[in-house]
Amino acid sequence: MPTVESDAMIVQTIQLALAPVFVLVAIGNIMNILSTRLGRVVDRARVLQGLFTETEGEAHDLVVREIRMSNNRILIIGRAMRLLVSSALSIGLTVALLFIEGFAHAGLNAAAAITFMLAIGLLMLALLLFLRETREATEALRIPESYLELHRNL
């Protein structure tokens, strides 16, 4: 039969596990954003692959440059996703360690802290890659100056 003390311990353990779970939700949202971006880049890359055989000269060079940028963006997003999955797994391990510690008093608080710090570090690295990918996307979306007709006063 549960005691008041064991009930309090369960409540406290659940409260401790909430912060990592909120980070897990954030990681899931970032993964959703990256998945959407990846889908768009892949769709654009397929269009560019179709244009590859249909273009020549300067137009072909522009297609090749954009294909290269798309390839780079796909690689960056893939790396960021792997880091996010690793971070999410570390969060899951953190929560498991907190519950084991709460019930078994196995001296796992330090391990839980380390796995949480690891998860945050992996998340930060993934966010840096996300920033890099957005910079790459901006570079890919730059409109050639010839299309801007800057010599015209409009």
Side-chain angles (χ1 to χ4, degrees), residues 19-54:
V21 170
F22 282 124
V23 175
L24 194 57
V25 170
I27 290 169
N29 287 334
I30 297 166
M31 289 179 72
N32 187 32
I33 291 166
L34 285 174
S35 294
T36 301
R37 294 178 73 85
L38 180 61
R40 289 183 179 180
V41 174
V42 167
D43 289 345
R44 179 65 182 152
R46 287 184 181 139
V47 169
L48 291 168
Q49 289 171 5
L51 293 173
F52 181 84
T53 57
E54 299 172 9

Side-chain angles (χ1 to χ4, degrees), residues 5-19:
E5 186 178 299
S6 67
D7 288 345
M9 181 183 62
I10 292 169
V11 169
Q12 184 181 20
T13 303
I14 290 171
Q15 288 172 340
L16 280 174
L18 276 180

Side-chain angles (χ1 to χ4, degrees), residues 42-103:
V42 167
D43 289 345
R44 179 65 182 152
R46 287 184 181 139
V47 169
L48 291 168
Q49 289 171 5
L51 293 173
F52 181 84
T53 57
E54 299 172 9
T55 56
E56 294 178 357
E58 189 176 323
H60 183 75
D61 292 345
L62 289 173
V63 168
V64 171
R65 270 189 230 120
E66 194 173 344
I67 287 173
R68 289 177 183 175
M69 287 180 166
S70 295
N71 184 61
N72 197 34
R73 288 180 63 198
I74 289 167
L75 293 173
I76 292 169
I77 292 171
R79 288 183 194 124
M81 293 288 273
R82 283 189 296 277
L83 286 169
L84 288 169
V85 169
S86 298
S87 180
L89 290 171
S90 294
I91 291 291
L93 183 56
T94 300
V95 172
L97 289 170
L98 287 170
F99 274 96
I100 292 169
E101 173 59 29
F103 290 109

